[in-house]
């Protein structure tokens, strides 16, 4: 039975990526020949089939013994240089199983939502083709059994991000945002590529020429333990993660990425692509556990990003940008978990975050759909009465991300803070930073709810006249995500609350050292966990109460505080001027250098040579063109003279 189950899984994981690829090909090739609605349903059906197959494979996997839950299969071998081999191959284990369900499940709901959201927009087939290509690339990334295929999927989602952010290419702001995302990610990807090269070179030097992820994790203690190179490798790999997952210092692309369609924000910049860095670090946990310096860097960058982005989010007025900085902050929490060795906890928050953040973005899109594209929360207010379903679902997501008990975000965020405090690699300082970020999170998220849905209306009368709830094709995905947001956290219910933390136990065999972190936590009494849990609840309550006092009870107070602390307010509103700093220190010098080389190398070098040759041949042609008179008799005379010279040469040589 076990062999039969493994064979079934191998067949399924070969099939799962095919359907989004087929959807991409159909929508891409047929383009404008398909009706708009059919394009959306082809794309949605392809992802739904992949989700169904992923669910089937998952059910088979959990029925297998723990030691048999790592299965590999491939489409074909693309590099065979004995003894080295690289294939278009897949690794199916608890980690990839969870990621595949998130990618296809949340992705399917966003595809369906897009049918309503993108109705009447030009280029629908192109939009859905890009969505399907993204889904295929993301599946290749999380299913890859080797670093080469993982990197191919990594670059694929980067390309799709560029295409989807700049989907409305007639808007300069959208094309600029797409280019910014592409360039910033190239910086991180360069480090990621160097890390892969150095890792391969090190393993080759040790007599193990492999890029297979399972083999790397298995051989890492033998090859890399006690060497300084493992620190360099993991830091280079983490540089790639900071780009893809928008961490300090490469986070700047993600807020601007909100220029793309809102479902794109939900799919790429909340639920899937931006979590690729967290997945990669977790997948290579065996390397990071051998590099304590790198672990510390991951934890510190994660904690710093969490609070840094949260402070910016407290004053943003664009509803999507609030959610964008929230995403950056929540990704920081995930890296904080990975940095203290709690990889399963980081993946747990990745999953719950996919539910509630996708719901928040789609809810924001629903508001925009009803209010003629309005993004500024200062021009909203009182929307609840027009959009009760959108309000209720977004409120559920806000309660979850704020860490309110009984919602999914409470369980995953609380577990991160607990591990940040109690794990061997954790510290009270990291916990304290995470706790302050939790206060800010609940504050800016309820600020969004209060400014958008409650209080007096500040809408334009014409906009308010047409305000309405979104169609069912958009609200049904919201309701499903709301359900997942409520129940999704209970798979990780901790022992202190009467659960067995099934999710962590399910993922534990994948991660090196996870049992050690779990053991350290188990040695602590439940009283410590209850105390830290209480602190998390109080933090959420403080943020909610503060938002209520500022934006419901006394809505004029934020304006007075902004005027009183104008310097701090403007600094936060302008995002600490980081974009301006990068522009002055990096972008403008590079543009100046590029213009210099253009003038010296291109204009005075290449162009000068090309123009000089053109002038030379022009001068030469002007001297000999007199022979081209256009008169037949002249050409006949020259012909005769040539024949005479030829005959003379033959007879008198």
């Amino acid at each position: 039975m076990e062999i039969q189950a493994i064979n079934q899984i191998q067949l399924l994981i070969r099939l799962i990526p095919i359907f989004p690829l087929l959807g991409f090909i159909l929508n891409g090739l047929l383009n404008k020949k398909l009706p708009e609605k059919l394009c959306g349903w082809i794309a949605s059906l392809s992802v739904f089939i992949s989700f169904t197959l992923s669910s089937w494979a998952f059910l088979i996997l959990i029925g297998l013994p723990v030691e048999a839950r790592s299965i590999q299969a491939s489409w074909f071998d693309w590099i065979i240089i004995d003894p080295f081999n690289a294939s278009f191959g897949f690794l199916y284990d608890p980690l990839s199983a969870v990621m595949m369900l998130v990618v296809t499940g949340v992705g399917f709901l966003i595809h369906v939502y897009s049918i309503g959201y993108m109705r009447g927009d030009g280029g629908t087939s192109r939009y859905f083709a890009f969505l399907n290509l993204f889904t295929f690339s993301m599946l290749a990334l999380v299913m890859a059994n080797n670093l080469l295929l993982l990197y191919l999927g990594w670059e694929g989602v980067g390309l799709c991000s560029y295409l989807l952010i700049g989907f409305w290419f007639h808007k300069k702001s959208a094309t600029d945002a797409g280019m910014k995302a592409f360039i910033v990610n190239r910086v991180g990807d360069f480090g990621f590529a160097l890390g892969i090269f150095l890792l391969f070179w090190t393993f080759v030097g040790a007599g193990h020429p492999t890029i297979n992820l399972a083999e790397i994790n298995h051989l890492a203690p033998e090859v890399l333990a006690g060497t300084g190179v493992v620190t360099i490798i993991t830091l280079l790999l983490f540089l790639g993660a900071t780009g893809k997952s928008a961490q300090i210092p490469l986070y700047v692309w993600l807020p601007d990425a909100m220029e793309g369609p809102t479902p794109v924000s939900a799919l790429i910049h909340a639920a899937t692509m931006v979590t690729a860095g967290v997945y990669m670090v977790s997948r290579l946990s065996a390397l990071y556990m051998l590099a304590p310096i790198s672990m510390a860097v991951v934890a510190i960058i994660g904690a710093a990003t969490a609070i840094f982005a949260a402070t910016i989010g407290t004053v943003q007025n664009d509803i999507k940008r609030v959610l964008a900085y929230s995403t950056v902050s929540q990704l920081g929490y995930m890296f904080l978990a990975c940095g203290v060795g709690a990889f399963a906890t980081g993946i747990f928050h990745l999953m719950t975050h996919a539910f509630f953040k996708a719901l928040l973005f789609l809810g924001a899109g629903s508001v925009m759909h009803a209010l003629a594209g309005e993004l500024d929360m200062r021009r909203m207010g009182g929307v609840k009465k027009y959009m009760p379903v959108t309000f209720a679902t977004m409120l559920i997501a806000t309660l979850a991300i704020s860490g309110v008990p009984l919602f999914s975000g409470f369980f995953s965020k609380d577990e991160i803070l607990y591990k940040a405090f109690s794990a061997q690699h954790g510290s009270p300082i990291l916990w304290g930073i995470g706790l302050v970020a939790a206060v800010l999170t609940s504050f800016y998220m309820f600020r969004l709810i209060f400014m958008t849905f409650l209080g007096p209306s500040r809408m334009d009368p014409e906009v308010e006249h047409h305000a309405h709830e979104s169609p069912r094709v958009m609200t049904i995905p919201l309701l499903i995500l709301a359900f997942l947001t409520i129940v999704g956290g209970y798979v990780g219910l901790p022992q202190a609350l009467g659960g067995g933390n099934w999710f962590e136990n399910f993922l534990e065999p994948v991660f090196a050292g996870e049992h050690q972190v779990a053991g350290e936590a188990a040695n602590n009494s439940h009283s410590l966990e209850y105390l830290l849990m209480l602190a998390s609840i109080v933090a959420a309550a403080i943020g909610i109460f503060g938002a209520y006092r500022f934006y419901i009870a006394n809505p004029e107070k934020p304006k007075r505080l902004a005027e009183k602390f104008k310097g701090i307010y403007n600094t936060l509103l302008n995002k600490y001027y980081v974009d301006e700093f990068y522009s002055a220190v990096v972008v403008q010098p590079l543009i100046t250098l590029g213009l210099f080389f253009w003038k010296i190398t291109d204009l005075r070098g290449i162009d000068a040579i090309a123009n000089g040759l053109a002038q030379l041949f022009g001068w030469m042609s002007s001297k000999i063109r007199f022979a081209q008179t256009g008169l037949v008799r002249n050409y006949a005379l020259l012909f005769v003279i040539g024949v005479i010279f030829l005959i003379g040469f033959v007879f008198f040589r």
Side-chain angles (χ1 to χ4, degrees):
M1 289 295 292
E2 183 177 313
I3 295 175
Q4 182 181 359
I6 291 173
N7 289 337
Q8 284 182 312
I9 289 178
Q10 288 176 329
L11 174 61
L12 291 171
I13 62 178
R14 288 189 180 100
L15 292 174
I16 288 167
I18 289 177
F19 294 97
L21 183 60
L22 289 176
F24 162 68
I25 293 171
L26 283 174
N27 275 321
L29 290 181
L30 298 178
N31 203 352
K32 297 180 180 179
K33 297 178 182 179
L34 293 174
E36 178 183 288
K37 186 176 289 188
L38 184 59
C39 293
W41 286 116
I42 288 174
S44 302
L45 181 61
S46 68
V47 179
F48 179 73
I49 293 173
S50 293
F51 171 68
T52 303
L53 297 178
S54 298
S55 302
W56 186 2
F58 178 77
L59 292 174
I60 298 173
L61 184 73
I62 60 177
L64 290 173
V66 173
E67 62 275 8
R69 292 178 180 173
S70 182
I71 301 161
Q72 299 199 39
S74 66
W75 280 354
F76 55 85
D77 293 332
W78 51 10
I79 301 177
I80 304 176
I81 307 173
D82 192 53
F84 174 73
N85 175 65
S87 66
F88 203 106
F90 309 117
L91 170 63
Y92 191 73
D93 62 6
L95 176 58
S96 56
V98 169
M99 294 299 297
M100 289 161 63
L101 287 172
V102 169
V103 171
T104 57
V106 176
F108 166 67
L109 295 174
I110 294 171
H111 275 70
V112 173
Y113 177 96
S114 295
I115 295 172
Y117 188 87
M118 298 298 291
R119 182 176 296 152
D121 195 290
T124 305
S125 61
R126 177 169 58 91
Y127 170 83
F128 282 107
F130 291 162
L131 280 191
N132 274 172
L133 180 61
F134 168 81
T135 304
F136 168 75
S137 299
M138 193 68 198
L139 284 173
L141 192 161
V142 301
M143 295 175 66
N145 72 349
N146 62 80
L147 284 169
L148 185 59
L149 180 57
L150 189 153
Y151 189 76
L152 178 66
W154 186 278
E155 293 298 330
V157 295
L159 171 64
C160 293
S161 175
Y162 164 74
L163 294 172
L164 286 164
I165 293 169
F167 175 75
W168 287 319
F169 54 84
H170 55 277
K171 290 174 55 181
K172 186 177 185 302
S173 58
T175 56
D176 288 348
M179 187 63 70
K180 183 177 182 179
F182 193 79
I183 293 172
V184 172
N185 272 275
R186 294 292 71 73
V187 176
D189 293 353
F190 180 67
F192 186 34
L194 289 179
I196 293 174
F197 293 152
L198 183 56
L199 179 63
F200 177 68
W201 180 78
T202 304
F203 271 73
V204 169
H208 301 289
T210 182
I211 55 173
N212 184 279
L213 291 165
E215 293 176 6
I216 287 172
N217 280 327
H218 177 70
L219 295 170
E222 173 189 337
V223 176
L224 298 173
T227 65
V229 72
V230 68
T231 301
I232 300 174
I233 290 170
T234 48
L235 288 177
L236 286 171
L237 295 175
F238 182 61
L239 179 60
T242 62
K244 198 67 70 185
S245 294
Q247 298 294 284
I248 293 173
L250 300 180
Y251 71 93
V252 291
W253 66 271
L254 193 143
D256 287 357
M258 298 303 107
E259 290 291 339
T262 301
V264 171
S265 304
L267 179 65
I268 296 182
H269 308 119
T272 50
M273 173 187 149
V274 291
T275 60
V278 179
Y279 167 79
M280 183 269 291
V281 170
S282 300
R283 174 58 75 189
L284 295 172
S285 60
L287 275 64
Y288 281 89
M289 292 300 289
L290 297 172
I293 293 176
S294 298
M295 292 284 284
V297 170
V298 172
I300 292 170
I301 291 295
T305 303
I307 194 166
F308 178 82
T311 58
I312 297 174
T314 57
V315 299
Q316 298 302 305
N317 296 309
D318 184 310
I319 189 170
K320 286 178 66 177
R321 285 186 178 268
V322 173
L323 297 178
Y325 282 105
S326 170
T327 298
V328 175
S329 181
Q330 295 304 305
L331 289 164
Y333 272 108
M334 298 174 207
F335 280 111
L336 171 59
C338 292
V340 300
F343 299 100
T345 304
I347 297 298
F348 183 30
H349 195 57
L350 182 156
M351 181 189 71
T352 61
H353 176 263
F355 299 151
F356 57 69
K357 186 52 66 65
L359 175 54
L360 286 166
F361 268 113
L362 296 186
S366 182
V367 172
M368 292 169 59
H369 184 266
L371 304 185
E374 183 61 68
L375 286 166
D376 194 333
M377 296 185 297
R378 294 170 296 184
R379 297 175 183 173
M380 298 181 187
V383 176
K384 173 187 173 183
K385 63 181 178 181
Y386 301 109
M387 310 185 70
V389 176
T390 300
F391 166 71
T393 53
M394 284 195 74
L395 178 61
I396 289 171
T398 301
L399 291 168
I401 194 175
S402 300
V404 174
L406 305 181
F407 294 89
S408 61
F410 166 75
F411 298 109
S412 56
K413 185 184 288 187
D414 179 72
E415 191 72 10
I416 290 174
L417 293 175
Y418 174 53
K419 295 289 177 63
F421 186 93
S422 62
Q424 180 182 354
H425 297 285
S427 76
I429 295 176
L430 292 174
W431 171 81
I433 294 173
L435 191 69
V436 174
V439 174
L440 296 175
T441 300
S442 60
F443 174 82
Y444 66 67
M445 285 308 307
F446 272 89
R447 171 180 178 264
L448 182 152
I449 290 292
F450 294 149
M451 290 183 69
T452 303
F453 293 100
L454 303 179
S457 173
R458 300 178 299 278
M459 292 181 279
D460 180 270
E462 185 67 22
V463 171
E464 185 170 8
H465 176 71
H466 293 287
H468 60 281
E469 185 60 89
S470 297
R472 284 185 297 177
V473 74
M474 295 172 65
T475 56
I476 289 176
L478 296 181
L479 292 170
I480 295 173
L481 285 168
F483 173 76
L484 293 172
T485 297
I486 295 171
V487 305
Y490 288 90
V491 296
L493 192 67
Q495 292 181 351
L497 295 178
N501 208 331
W502 178 88
F503 191 84
E504 184 175 305
N505 293 332
F506 176 66
L507 290 177
E508 182 181 330
V510 179
F511 299 125
E514 186 75 27
H515 62 281
Q516 179 183 350
V517 176
E520 292 163 1
N523 291 331
N524 295 305
S525 64
H526 283 329
S527 59
L528 174 62
E529 189 168 358
Y530 291 142
L531 183 62
L532 296 177
M533 195 179 298
L534 178 62
S536 298
I537 296 171
V538 171
I542 291 173
I544 296 170
F545 179 74
Y548 174 81
R549 291 290 300 169
F550 276 37
Y551 296 98
I552 296 296
N554 193 356
E556 294 300 317
K557 192 170 185 179
K559 294 180 182 179
R560 294 198 298 268
L561 286 176
E563 292 173 359
K564 183 177 180 180
F565 301 100
K566 193 172 183 179
I568 297 174
Y569 175 77
N570 286 334
T571 299
L572 295 177
L573 187 64
N574 289 282
K575 304 154 289 187
Y576 292 98
Y577 300 99
V578 172
D579 282 301
E580 290 78 3
F581 173 78
Y582 282 173
S583 178
V585 175
V586 179
V587 178
Q588 291 304 321
L590 286 176
I591 290 175
T592 302
L593 186 64
L595 290 173
F596 171 77
F597 280 114
W598 171 64
K599 292 177 181 178
I600 299 299
T601 306
D602 196 28
L603 290 182
R604 300 181 183 178
I606 298 172
D607 281 1
I609 293 172
N611 293 334
L613 287 173
Q615 292 171 359
L616 173 63
F617 285 111
W619 176 82
M620 292 173 60
S621 64
S622 68
K623 299 302 179 185
I624 63 175
R625 68 185 177 187
F626 70 89
Q628 304 296 324
T629 63
L631 299 175
V632 175
R633 64 175 180 271
N634 291 349
Y635 296 153
L637 176 62
L638 291 174
F639 179 76
V640 171
I641 293 172
V643 170
I644 293 172
F645 272 106
L646 181 61
I647 293 172
F649 176 76
V650 172
F651 281 96
F652 297 103
R653 62 178 177 172

